[in-house]
Amino acid sequence: MSQLTPIKLILEDGTEFIGKSFGYNKSISGEVVFNTAMTGYPESLTDPSYKGQILVLTYPLIGNYGVPNNDKENDLHKFYESYALHISGLVISDYTEDYSHWNADKSLGQWLKEFEIPGIFGIDTRALTKILREKGTMLGKIIYKDEDIPLYDPNKVNLVDQVSISEKKIYGNGKYKILLIDCGVKNNIIRNLIKRDATVIQVPWNWDISKEKYDGLFISNGPGDPKQCSVTINNLSDAYKKDIPIYGICLGNQLMALAAGADTYKLKYGHRSHNQPVIQVGTNNAYITSQNHGYAIDNETLPAEWEPLFINLNDDTNEGVKHKSKPYFSSQFHPEASSGPTDTEFLFNHFMDTVKQYKK
Amino acid sequence: MSPIKKINLHRDNMDKSIKKVIVLGSGALKIGEAGEFDYSGSQALKALREEGVKTVLINPNIATVQTSEGIADKIYFLPVTTYFVKRVIEKEKPDGILLSFGGQTALNCGIDLFKEGILEKNNVRVLGTPIQAIINTEDRDIFVKKLHEINISTIESIAVTTVEDAVLAAEKLNYPIIIRAAYTLGGQGSGFCNNEKELRKLAGKAFSYSKQLLIEKSLKGWKEVEYEVVRDQYNNCITVCNMENFDPLGIHTGESIVVAPSQTLTNTEYHKLRELAIKIIRHIGIVGECNIQYALDPFSEDYRVIEVNARLSRSSALASKATGYPLAFVAAKLALGYGLHELKNSITKTTPAFFEPALDYIVCKIPRWDLNKFSGVSKQIGSSMKSVGEVMSIGRTFEEAIQKGLRMIGQGMHGFVGNRDLEFENIEKELNEPTDMRIFVIADAFEKNYSIEKIHELTKIDPWFLHKLKNIFELKNELSKYNTLEETPGGKILRAKEFGFSDFQLARFILKDVNEHIEEGLLEVREFRKKHNIIPYVKQIDTLAAEFPAKTNYLYLTYCGNSHDIEFQHDNKSVIVLGSGAYRIGSSVEFDWCSVNALNTVNQQGYRSIMINYNPETVSTDYDMCDRLYFDELSFERVMDIIELELPKGVIISMGGQIPNNLAMRLFNQNVNILGTSPLSIDNAENRHKFSMLCDELKIDQPRWKELTSINEIYKFVEDVGFPVLVRPSYVLSGAAMNVVSNRDEMEHFLNLATNVSKQYPVVVSEFIEQAKEIEIDAVARDGELFTYAISEHVEFAGVHSGDATMTFPPQKIYFETVRRIKKISREIARALNISGPFNMQFLAKDNDIKVIECNLRASRSFPFVSKVLKVNLIDIATKIMLNVPVEKPHKSIFDLDYIGVKAPQFSFSRLQKADPILGVDMSSTGEVGCIGENFYEAILKSMLSVGYSIPKKNILLSTGPMRSKVELVNSCRLLAEKGYNLFATKGTAKFLEMNGMNVTMLHWPDEDEKPNTLDYLKNGLIDLVVNIPKDLSSKELSNDYTIRRSSVDFNIPLITNARLASAFLTAVCKLRIDEIAIKSWDEYK
């Protein structure tokens, strides 16, 4: 950390935070969001849903256990959630260069430099978070030295297109064929499906799925405004006409609702944390979930044949929907966790059980 | 976007059939079971009250907040033992009982009640975790089987019931192994063994605590990680907090520095252990809270479950404070049938209690040891607990938190660096075999160029922690290059503050100030940084890392920030109360009671109360006790920071014991408005010379004393006053700080061994009056007029520290004239020092000759005791006086009481290996109880039974010391003989008793190779009570007596070492049968 270059974060409303650089030295702009998780920065940084965002971590001590290596297993990175880092920039309070962990390969700073992503530390991230909470998520830019750049709004572009694969790809060799529409899928979703005897056929977000043969359809998580994915929404509407099980996570949840005819809206500052409480509607079963989303389904707009499956206990927002008669359901949260709590992993069982049932 | 209507929420799922509940407390504070249970019990009682459930509390600890008015509906100051709880159950006929809020004491008692069928017979339901689940976690064998059912790895271990089986088990597992005793608190009877010899020794001892031992494979060096897990009756689970031990496995978690959340665990490790924790809590079937301890391999994701505590614990109290999540409160609600999703987060008030706190700070818990108070004790820390208290520090860097915490410990340290006289001779050994000084050894190792790798190799402390400590060390070196603040780069000073450096440390490193000038130096640093806007910011602890707005008043200060979370109302309507800091020998829950009561009065009088304290085991650091809680240092620097932000009406410094009291003059010099007695008066009382002059002026007698700087001067003084004398060095090398010496030999021995005598380090020598009664007054004065008071009397003669003495209130055996004169002296002192507020004085009385030995212009240890016995809250009165509001003079006096209270000390010698369990002028008890009885004997019997004594069954061993104690005890020995007790005695005592016509069996001294021998009798459990009176007042004693005393402690046999106390106890035992002890609640004594 010898070269502590002046670097600052400027928010859309003009607020400035001056810090020190520990990543790549360049200026960048994006949407500023905060995450309150206390672990899991390697997972978060490689989560495609963060595309276009400058990520603020509220937990102050970051970098402690370094960054794991890029080993692969089943053609997937073992310790990352995708093939690359997706955030635009990282903002933290206290940085550890002298990491310590048996599985670490390099420091967080080195990693950011490798992927040319700026990182700032020495920021009052609590004060920053409070601004984002009060005024809502806003745009911002990291300015290195005096290299000013204009603000950039990632929600105006199709981010999914930037993170989705371009060609079909197959993982695993299980008994059940799961067609996975990749809007920016996290590796742990694929791992969870493979683990449950699935062959995962990963296709781009705008792939014509009508010609594909599959036992179950899965719509992944991904970045940005779901309404940017009109192709996927149309494809889903068609898929609803078959009786093949469908499960969607996060953006997948929103796309399923839009395809059913419901509406989505942007949350003031989103849910990004490991401690979001949800309850299964009509039961006393509550779960702690990992979340990362800025948009949500408007419950009131759900058509008659659909109903909410989960509700957030903090703010009553939608956390998943289900079809009243057909094998279609979704969750706004991330049962695949990584990072975060694993309480709802059983939803993958539920999905695969349904797939098995319908295959018979 | 209208949210869905939650038809399934906020249903009132509480079990309405529960109308009355008994809560078991944990009794006196002891090592391994301390103030945390006052906190958890108070929370539980609060939760039950809120639901309209009637509460009955059994807890003899009279100094606690939970045993105060308005917390429980009925309070029984009785021992938490099967017999007494049974009697209370029969009388109160409760519907349910809570066992998990009073530590291991309550849990063990509950299991016994269940096993004896008492609960079933009386239709009492165990609320919360079912009793079988508790038993399943407590019996190691069942526990391991239970976990294996769900494929959870545990440490390989074998349960044994004999020493021979232990040896076989160890051979099977391979040394090193660790011994654990089942059903004990804080790892009592546990330890490491490297070979058979060590094993035999330790196992023999451990069997006296427990019938079952666990021989375990040692995983020394693994990481130790804990989770606090909560489950409701719907099977919903959360983990509220995880914590990582700075010290690796092998050092008891109570002895380790602990951080929350974990720092060196990756997401997969964190969530793997979390997932297992939930799996375990579901399988065991806990309803409420439990703590799960793991060992984690530092080189893979391999893990072992160490243990599960199916109750609130020290860790759960820490987790509650660390996160702001009130675990005990929630656990009590869950026991009544609520689901987690039906309860509210008590900080945000809008979100549910079903969530997991997200921290945006790091907390650091550091233990406080008082090993210097004991002679002979081993300073090494290991698998059993010796610390007597702890602190919790909060920061936004580890460096900030650890340096704050090391100062909070209150043993003169200024942080990780900047401490004088901390050089260690054998660093490698000290690193490898850690003592209570371990972290300072690391600082010294850096000083001596040890690498992080080397230190890690020797300590197994994770390099992440060592790197952070090295950061502090390196910054210190950089700061030391400068000589003025002006030439130091501003960024460096800010960095130092972000790393938790105090103004004192900066003054020492940059200004090179030495002791005499350090005060001016640190004020210079303070001025300088304020000028350059280097100031701390106030942050909230809100459980959700600022994700949701929270009106939380739970605060800390940090330099890693640039804005305050809160606003300050400078309206002259707030009052700051300074708390008491870490519990330690001499200052514990009593001062928390005083602080909490002061807060209550401040609130009632329409002021906003502000508390500053940092002890996670207290009620005063519960954020709903005050309007603002600053969980931060009680240093001059930090208190001034807060005062400058809050601009309060005034500050109360007389409630938290000596720590706030010591700040009096320094705050006064900064023009801080100290409420109550003027700091100038406090100084006049604290300063030995000034106070002596005052006494001379008022013609109040004191034992003669002198401050002396050479051995010759000391002897000259002794020629005047005669032996014995009390010697108080101002600088202590090792051992006790104070001692009574009876002759020239002892004097020389003590001075050579324990202290330096010089101009720089003078020694205070005072006349020591033998066979004198010690009397105390706890009083409140208003503008110099004695307003109200309580006089109490020690059972023991002077020479036993007042904190170790058994105290009677009202006094039973002093002259009327004595009372009158004590009142007169107190009145004169109150007037002369113009006292407004609480004060305490101690006197020696011999033949109506009264001498003052101590005067403190603050609340004392005995305020809660006398307030509760008298049923006049002296702290409420004192606080009103300090606030200058009208207060009515209580008309009750000690002569109106038809009952009496006895306060008895609790010792923790069994935890302190090798320590001589002897009482002297330095305090060694860790806690106390106070019980009320119709007469002295009933009260003393209740209180002695409450601190672990039992009514002896048959055999009593007597070794009664010098002639005057032999005489003192002769009548009670005769009573014992008449009652049919078998008396055993060592040679001299046996002879004396025979001469007085008693039948006695003589046992040979331990070092005599002859039978029958005392040691055999002790080892074989043939003795029910040992009375061993030391021959003289010095702590250096014949090794035989030491062996008897120590063996009694090691083999868990009740021991009394004071003749007056022994006589009182034995007489009580002979006069009263246990069923004659009245089962009466506090309110029934009118």
Side-chain angles (χ1 to χ4, degrees):
Chain A
M1 280 198 288
S2 48
Q3 68 287 37
L4 294 178
T5 334
I7 191 160
K8 57 190 170 187
L9 172 73
I10 304 173
L11 298 179
E12 200 177 348
D13 71 351
T15 316
E16 263 189 45
F17 287 89
I18 297 168
K20 295 160 211 162
S21 171
F22 71 104
Y24 191 73
N25 286 327
K26 73 169 180 191
S27 299
I28 191 113
S29 173
E31 186 183 35
V32 187
V33 297
F34 66 88
N35 185 321
T36 66
M38 300 184 289
T39 59
Y41 55 86
E43 289 85 349
S44 291
L45 268 52
T46 52
D47 178 350
S49 299
Y50 281 110
K51 190 75 191 174
Q53 295 177 328
I54 294 172
L55 179 60
V56 180
L57 298 179
T58 62
Y59 188 69
L61 289 79
I62 300 295
N64 301 7
Y65 50 84
V67 174
N69 63 43
N70 54 9
D71 284 359
K72 282 191 168 185
E73 192 177 69
N74 292 327
D75 210 21
L76 290 169
H77 282 290
K78 242 171 120 174
F79 305 108
Y80 307 153
E81 282 311 306
S82 70
Y83 50 90
L85 276 77
H86 294 284
I87 57 161
S88 298
L90 186 62
V91 181
I92 62 169
S93 179
D94 184 35
Y95 171 63
T96 293
E97 174 71 18
D98 298 310
Y99 61 87
S100 163
H101 198 269
W102 59 271
N103 196 29
D105 203 36
K106 60 186 94 165
S107 74
L108 175 59
Q110 277 172 285
W111 202 37
L112 289 177
K113 283 176 197 143
E114 233 172 81
F115 283 83
E116 302 193 357
I117 293 163
I120 313 184
F121 78 99
I123 298 292
D124 185 343
T125 44
R126 183 171 170 87
L128 171 57
T129 301
K130 280 173 68 188
I131 294 173
L132 298 177
R133 177 187 83 199
E134 298 303 328
K135 300 190 177 170
T137 303
M138 59 176 101
L139 303 181
K141 51 191 177 182
I142 291 173
I143 299 300
Y144 169 66
K145 282 190 180 164
D146 296 320
E147 298 166 12
D148 199 6
I149 50 163
L151 287 170
Y152 158 78
D153 186 351
N155 294 308
K156 297 229 168 83
V157 296
N158 189 338
L159 295 167
V160 168
D161 191 47
Q162 293 177 24
V163 294
S164 179
I165 50 161
S166 46
E167 285 303 320
K168 183 154 83 170
K169 200 171 173 187
I170 296 181
Y171 296 95
N173 188 23
K175 200 165 151 195
Y176 305 97
K177 286 204 177 93
I178 302 299
L179 185 68
L180 183 149
I181 302 178
D182 175 20
C183 300
V185 70
K186 282 164 70 185
N187 286 345
N188 212 37
I189 290 176
I190 302 177
R191 292 185 202 114
N192 263 297
L193 292 171
I194 295 175
K195 208 158 76 180
R196 290 171 176 80
D197 206 10
T199 298
V200 176
I201 307 153
Q202 184 185 15
V203 295
W205 67 284
N206 50 3
W207 193 259
D208 180 5
I209 57 170
S210 61
K211 296 188 185 83
E212 295 289 335
K213 282 215 162 89
Y214 54 89
D215 305 318
L217 178 62
F218 182 91
I219 309 102
S220 85
N221 64 299
D225 186 342
K227 288 173 186 165
Q228 295 277 352
C229 302
S230 47
V231 183
T232 325
I233 296 167
N234 288 336
N235 288 344
L236 275 173
S237 303
D238 289 341
Y240 284 159
K241 289 169 191 151
K242 305 178 182 177
D243 262 357
I244 299 174
I246 307 177
Y247 178 29
I249 289 178
C250 196
L251 184 72
N253 170 56
Q254 296 156 15
L255 293 174
M256 279 176 69
L258 288 168
D263 197 13
T264 58
Y265 61 96
K266 194 172 200 298
L267 293 165
K268 194 175 174 191
Y269 49 90
H271 296 159
R272 289 176 192 85
S273 67
H274 288 173
N275 62 349
Q276 293 287 337
V278 305
I279 193 158
Q280 192 179 339
V281 175
T283 71
N284 273 313
N285 303 332
Y287 306 98
I288 299 292
T289 65
S290 175
Q291 301 199 8
N292 170 22
H293 64 109
Y295 291 82
I297 297 172
D298 184 348
N299 281 316
E300 296 296 293
T301 62
L302 281 174
E305 63 272 27
W306 290 77
E307 60 187 5
L309 177 56
F310 296 102
I311 293 293
N312 189 303
L313 281 165
N314 280 344
D315 60 7
D316 299 347
T317 55
N318 179 276
E319 289 290 353
V321 295
K322 72 185 255 254
H323 194 279
K324 284 179 181 165
S325 56
K326 294 189 173 187
Y328 312 149
F329 77 104
S330 62
S331 62
Q332 183 57 56
F333 51 86
H334 291 265
E336 83 283 5
S338 196
S339 54
T342 52
D343 300 11
T344 49
E345 205 187 293
F346 67 86
L347 287 177
F348 286 103
N349 295 341
H350 178 71
F351 176 54
M352 291 307 291
D353 289 346
T354 315
V355 166
K356 284 170 206 172
Q357 213 183 309
Y358 273 78
K359 201 183 174 183
K360 273 177 207 160
Chain B
M1 46 159 177
S2 42
I4 198 156
K5 200 151 181 55
K6 285 178 290 177
I7 31 136
N8 59 323
L9 292 193
H10 316 304
R11 235 174 28 199
D12 193 354
N13 278 333
M14 186 197 142
D15 188 340
K16 289 275 192 280
S17 67
I18 305 163
K19 300 215 159 29
K20 193 194 233 185
V21 170
I22 286 199
V23 178
L24 301 186
S26 64
L29 269 62
K30 40 199 154 315
I31 293 179
E33 199 172 50
E36 63 270 18
F37 299 112
D38 188 21
Y39 170 65
S40 44
S42 300
Q43 289 258 319
L45 291 163
K46 206 187 285 175
L48 295 179
R49 271 214 147 188
E50 218 180 68
E51 301 295 339
V53 175
K54 286 253 172 281
T55 52
V56 178
L57 171 67
I58 306 177
N59 190 357
N61 193 335
I62 203 162
T64 54
V65 177
Q66 59 178 253
T67 55
S68 305
E69 224 175 308
I71 311 252
D73 293 299
K74 286 210 171 216
I75 297 161
Y76 287 88
F77 295 116
L78 287 173
V80 184
T81 59
T82 332
Y83 174 79
F84 286 100
V85 176
K86 179 183 139 214
R87 297 275 314 266
V88 175
I89 287 175
E90 285 162 358
K91 183 179 165 195
E92 292 286 347
K93 305 193 188 333
D95 306 300
I97 187 165
L98 286 179
L99 304 176
S100 41
F101 299 86
Q104 197 67 34
T105 299
L107 205 65
N108 288 351
C109 182
I111 291 174
D112 289 345
L113 289 166
F114 168 76
K115 286 187 172 163
E116 288 174 29
I118 294 161
L119 299 178
E120 202 189 342
K121 194 177 154 203
N122 292 281
N123 294 316
V124 183
R125 282 162 54 196
V126 173
L127 305 181
T129 303
I131 195 96
Q132 192 56 49
I134 297 174
I135 294 171
N136 290 351
T137 59
E138 290 288 308
D139 183 304
R140 304 291 304 201
D141 228 11
I142 307 179
F143 171 69
V144 167
K145 271 190 207 127
K146 269 300 213 199
L147 292 196
H148 288 176
E149 282 168 16
I150 49 167
N151 295 319
I152 303 271
S153 311
T154 54
I155 297 176
E156 222 184 324
S157 65
I158 299 168
V160 296
T161 50
T162 67
V163 175
E164 290 314 314
D165 285 350
V167 173
L168 288 176
E171 277 164 12
K172 215 153 127 197
L173 295 170
N174 290 328
Y175 292 97
I177 56 102
I178 179 169
I179 290 186
R180 286 177 191 278
Y183 296 96
T184 61
L185 5 136
Q188 208 164 14
S190 302
F192 286 94
C193 308
N194 290 306
N195 52 50
E196 189 181 329
K197 197 178 154 206
E198 286 176 22
L199 173 72
R200 282 187 183 275
K201 200 170 147 201
L202 195 61
K205 210 160 76 186
F207 274 121
S208 63
Y209 294 108
S210 175
K211 284 178 190 136
Q212 190 201 63
L213 294 189
L214 210 75
I215 310 299
E216 235 173 55
K217 178 77 193 146
S218 159
L219 295 175
K220 244 180 179 170
W222 282 35
K223 293 182 188 183
E224 192 167 341
V225 185
E226 292 180 65
Y227 282 73
E228 297 302 320
V229 202
V230 185
R231 177 176 174 268
D232 67 17
Q233 57 150 332
Y234 305 108
N235 213 11
N236 293 324
C237 300
I238 54 168
T239 63
V240 165
C241 185
N242 91 337
M243 293 174 269
E244 178 178 4
N245 285 12
F246 166 94
D247 299 286
L249 196 72
I251 293 176
H252 190 281
T253 173
E255 299 287 272
S256 180
I257 294 175
V258 174
V259 296
S262 63
Q263 296 300 317
T264 71
L265 270 60
T266 62
N267 179 70
T268 43
E269 288 166 333
Y270 182 105
H271 284 287
K272 178 181 180 170
L273 298 184
R274 179 187 172 280
E275 189 179 314
L276 293 174
I278 290 174
K279 208 169 155 187
I280 293 167
I281 196 174
R282 283 184 171 148
H283 189 64
I284 292 175
I286 306 264
V287 176
E289 201 269 354
C290 79
N291 154 278
I292 303 184
Q293 289 173 28
Y294 294 102
L296 180 66
D297 184 357
F299 302 105
S300 78
E301 283 181 14
D302 197 10
Y303 76 93
R304 300 284 184 280
V305 171
I306 303 170
E307 64 176 26
V308 173
N309 283 308
R311 56 169 171 83
L312 279 297
S313 61
R314 185 179 46 261
S315 297
S316 68
L318 180 66
S320 298
K321 305 287 179 178
T323 60
Y325 192 101
L327 278 165
F329 184 82
V330 170
K333 295 273 184 178
L334 299 184
L336 293 177
Y338 282 104
L340 276 165
H341 57 293
E342 295 167 327
L343 302 169
K344 284 268 163 261
N345 174 340
S346 49
I347 284 209
T348 62
K349 306 260 185 352
T350 55
T351 55
F354 181 79
F355 80 108
E356 299 189 349
L359 281 59
D360 57 4
Y361 48 85
I362 175 174
V363 312
C364 202
K365 176 219 91 172
I366 307 179
R368 149 107 191 191
W369 290 277
D370 265 329
L371 299 175
N372 281 333
K373 297 261 180 189
F374 304 94
S375 69
V377 73
S378 156
K379 300 273 172 79
Q380 271 188 31
I381 57 173
S383 62
S384 83
M385 188 168 161
K386 290 177 184 172
S387 65
V388 289
E390 62 190 33
V391 304
M392 183 181 97
S393 55
I394 309 170
R396 283 173 59 88
T397 63
F398 175 73
E399 294 88 338
E400 181 176 50
I402 191 91
Q403 291 227 83
K404 268 185 172 185
L406 290 172
R407 283 193 289 276
M408 288 171 174
I409 286 298
Q411 283 169 324
M413 300 305 176
H414 302 291
F416 179 63
V417 289
N419 305 306
R420 290 282 156 87
D421 305 312
L422 277 181
E423 281 200 52
F424 299 88
E425 267 175 36
N426 191 343
I427 289 190
E428 288 208 14
K429 182 171 183 283
E430 292 266 355
L431 288 172
N432 199 24
E433 296 166 20
T435 66
D436 54 342
M437 298 302 282
R438 92 122 74 209
I439 191 152
F440 302 108
V441 179
I442 296 173
D444 196 28
F446 284 140
E447 207 67 66
K448 290 176 180 136
N449 289 319
Y450 276 63
S451 68
I452 283 176
E453 294 69 33
K454 182 79 185 162
I455 299 172
H456 168 68
E457 191 190 307
L458 290 163
T459 59
K460 300 289 180 221
I461 294 171
D462 194 284
W464 185 84
F465 293 107
L466 298 175
H467 274 293
K468 295 284 170 190
L469 293 175
K470 185 88 184 271
N471 287 344
I472 299 172
F473 171 77
E474 281 173 351
L475 188 54
K476 177 213 78 170
N477 287 346
E478 282 178 51
L479 294 169
S480 303
K481 287 183 203 151
Y482 306 98
N483 292 305
T484 66
L485 295 165
E486 285 72 21
E487 71 175 26
T488 313
K492 284 259 184 300
I493 292 179
L494 175 61
R495 194 71 186 141
K497 297 307 277 185
E498 288 170 351
F499 275 7
F501 282 72
S502 64
D503 290 347
F504 181 101
Q505 283 171 303
L506 290 176
R508 181 163 272 181
F509 298 136
I510 300 171
L511 304 176
K512 317 282 184 283
D513 275 320
V514 288
N515 295 339
E516 299 91 87
H517 302 291
I518 200 89
E519 184 73 20
E520 295 129 61
L522 66 91
L523 287 172
E524 189 188 329
V525 174
R526 184 174 185 82
E527 274 317 301
F528 178 86
R529 40 170 201 82
K530 274 161 66 182
K531 207 169 83 197
H532 293 84
N533 213 22
I534 300 174
I535 50 165
Y537 288 94
V538 179
K539 297 285 180 192
Q540 293 169 314
I541 289 180
D542 66 2
T543 70
L544 285 161
E547 187 184 355
F548 286 92
K551 286 200 164 57
T552 169
N553 57 355
Y554 185 7
L555 311 165
Y556 69 100
L557 278 76
T558 177
Y559 278 89
C560 305
N562 59 16
S563 73
H564 296 298
D565 275 352
I566 52 164
E567 282 164 9
F568 305 97
Q569 291 161 273
H570 297 150
D571 57 359
N572 212 30
K573 291 292 277 178
S574 63
V575 172
I576 293 180
V577 179
L578 301 185
S580 61
Y583 286 170
R584 61 198 66 197
I585 289 180
S587 168
S588 69
V589 69
E590 320 78 51
F591 293 107
D592 201 53
W593 182 85
C594 294
S595 304
V596 166
N597 277 274
L599 290 173
N600 288 343
T601 306
V602 168
N603 291 337
Q604 280 157 19
Q605 294 305 318
Y607 292 98
R608 290 192 313 280
S609 58
I610 298 171
M611 165 56 53
I612 309 178
N613 199 6
Y614 50 77
N615 183 339
E617 306 180 300
T618 58
V619 178
S620 67
T621 54
D622 188 356
Y623 50 80
D624 57 8
M625 296 314 298
C626 55
D627 291 291
R628 274 183 182 173
L629 166 65
Y630 285 92
F631 206 105
D632 219 301
E633 291 179 70
L634 283 165
S635 62
F636 167 75
E637 176 181 345
R638 189 43 39 99
V639 170
M640 279 308 296
D641 290 338
I642 295 168
I643 289 171
E644 285 172 2
L645 289 169
E646 291 283 354
L647 301 180
K649 171 189 160 71
V651 181
I652 294 179
I653 59 163
S654 50
M655 296 302 167
Q658 207 53 35
I659 295 178
N661 200 52
N662 286 347
L663 290 176
M665 278 311 284
R666 298 173 73 194
L667 295 177
F668 179 75
N669 289 337
Q670 301 300 311
N671 300 317
V672 172
N673 184 26
I674 304 292
L675 299 182
T677 311
S678 161
L680 294 171
S681 295
I682 296 174
D683 189 49
N684 281 335
E686 292 279 312
N687 183 303
R688 200 177 288 281
H689 297 279
K690 290 182 187 167
F691 186 69
S692 234
M693 263 162 60
L694 178 70
C695 287
D696 290 348
E697 270 169 40
L698 298 172
K699 304 208 162 42
I700 295 170
D701 205 7
Q702 277 193 298
R704 283 168 291 173
W705 67 276
K706 246 187 178 147
E707 194 173 87
L708 304 163
T709 54
S710 75
I711 302 228
N712 279 341
E713 280 179 19
I714 292 174
Y715 284 132
K716 236 169 108 194
F717 177 72
V718 172
E719 267 171 40
D720 283 350
V721 300
F723 280 111
V725 288
L726 180 64
V727 186
R728 258 181 268 232
S730 55
Y731 183 80
V732 182
L733 293 174
S734 72
M738 260 197 293
N739 220 333
V740 173
V741 295
S742 314
N743 51 53
R744 265 186 107 96
D745 278 358
E746 277 179 24
M747 176 71 85
E748 247 147 63
H749 185 76
F750 178 65
L751 292 180
N752 283 335
L753 189 82
T755 182
N756 277 334
V757 189
S758 66
K759 281 237 155 35
Q760 205 188 344
Y761 299 117
V763 169
V764 173
V765 182
S766 358
E767 172 185 22
F768 184 83
I769 296 156
E770 292 178 283
Q771 303 282 94
K773 284 201 168 175
E774 198 165 328
I775 297 161
E776 290 195 39
I777 187 167
D778 290 310
V780 181
R782 173 174 213 157
D783 302 323
E785 291 304 316
L786 186 64
F787 196 77
T788 183
Y789 66 91
I791 294 172
S792 38
E793 170 196 14
H794 292 191
V795 171
E796 297 84 352
F797 278 139
V800 171
H801 189 282
S802 69
D804 288 348
T806 313
M807 203 183 228
T808 312
F809 173 76
Q812 299 297 298
K813 291 174 180 171
I814 57 176
Y815 300 113
F816 203 76
E817 171 71 3
T818 306
V819 174
R820 203 180 61 77
R821 292 181 57 180
I822 282 174
K823 247 172 81 178
K824 184 166 173 283
I825 294 172
S826 306
R827 210 163 251 146
E828 282 168 354
I829 293 280
R831 197 170 299 134
L833 293 171
N834 198 24
I835 300 175
S836 269
F839 71 104
N840 159 277
M841 289 179 74
Q842 290 163 32
F843 305 89
L844 293 183
K846 200 172 176 178
D847 315 321
N848 265 334
D849 204 7
I850 314 286
K851 289 182 165 54
V852 175
I853 50 174
E854 195 69 67
C855 175
N856 298 305
L857 305 196
R858 54 163 171 80
S860 79
R861 249 187 319 274
S862 37
F863 266 69
F865 169 65
V866 296
S867 291
K868 285 182 189 177
V869 175
L870 192 57
K871 297 191 180 183
V872 172
N873 189 330
L874 296 186
I875 296 301
D876 176 52
I877 294 171
T879 308
K880 282 179 179 151
I881 287 173
M882 289 190 282
L883 292 172
N884 207 11
V885 295
V887 51
E888 210 180 310
K889 211 163 181 163
H891 294 295
K892 215 166 179 182
S893 96
I894 51 177
F895 304 107
D896 301 329
L897 296 184
D898 292 334
Y899 51 85
I900 88 157
V902 167
K903 175 166 100 72
Q906 168 81 50
F907 297 94
S908 298
F909 289 119
S910 59
R911 297 306 187 110
L912 301 160
Q913 277 180 40
K914 297 181 191 156
D916 190 352
I918 194 181
L919 305 189
V921 284
D922 216 348
M923 184 167 160
S924 56
S925 63
T926 53
E928 64 186 30
V929 299
C931 297
I932 301 174
E934 313 283 345
N935 56 52
F936 172 69
Y937 292 114
E938 194 196 355
I940 198 164
L941 198 55
K942 278 180 179 173
S943 61
M944 298 280 282
L945 294 177
S946 296
V947 291
Y949 289 91
S950 48
I951 293 177
K953 286 193 196 84
K954 211 71 218 150
N955 300 340
I956 296 172
L957 172 63
L958 301 152
S959 175
T960 52
M963 187 46 72
R964 63 170 175 247
S965 30
K966 285 191 164 54
V967 174
E968 175 87 52
L969 278 163
V970 71
N971 283 333
S972 37
C973 289
R974 191 167 287 128
L975 278 175
L976 285 175
E978 283 165 11
K979 273 267 165 185
Y981 279 104
N982 300 328
L983 304 186
F984 296 84
T986 47
K987 205 176 286 166
T989 308
K991 209 187 241 168
F992 179 80
L993 294 176
E994 270 164 9
M995 261 165 46
N996 284 277
M998 279 167 254
N999 273 333
V1000 56
T1001 311
M1002 199 269 280
L1003 299 181
H1004 290 281
W1005 288 103
D1007 68 345
E1008 293 170 344
D1009 199 12
E1010 276 182 81
K1011 310 272 169 185
N1013 195 287
T1014 45
L1015 211 49
D1016 296 332
Y1017 270 71
L1018 292 173
K1019 268 188 186 165
N1020 298 328
L1022 298 173
I1023 300 291
D1024 304 318
L1025 172 71
V1026 175
V1027 176
N1028 178 289
I1029 314 299
K1031 300 260 173 350
D1032 56 47
L1033 291 157
S1034 83
S1035 62
K1036 277 287 145 219
E1037 251 268 300
L1038 288 175
S1039 72
N1040 267 324
D1041 274 342
Y1042 167 80
T1043 307
I1044 291 180
R1045 288 193 293 268
R1046 193 60 227 179
S1047 303
S1048 309
V1049 169
D1050 288 343
F1051 295 108
N1052 212 7
I1053 303 165
L1055 166 75
I1056 303 178
T1057 61
N1058 182 283
R1060 304 245 316 158
L1061 180 65
S1063 163
F1065 178 66
L1066 295 175
T1067 310
V1069 163
C1070 295
K1071 285 198 172 203
L1072 271 178
R1073 284 198 322 269
I1074 192 160
D1075 56 356
E1076 287 171 333
I1077 294 176
I1079 306 298
K1080 278 169 82 172
S1081 64
W1082 184 25
D1083 59 319
E1084 289 175 81
Y1085 292 99
K1086 283 177 179 138

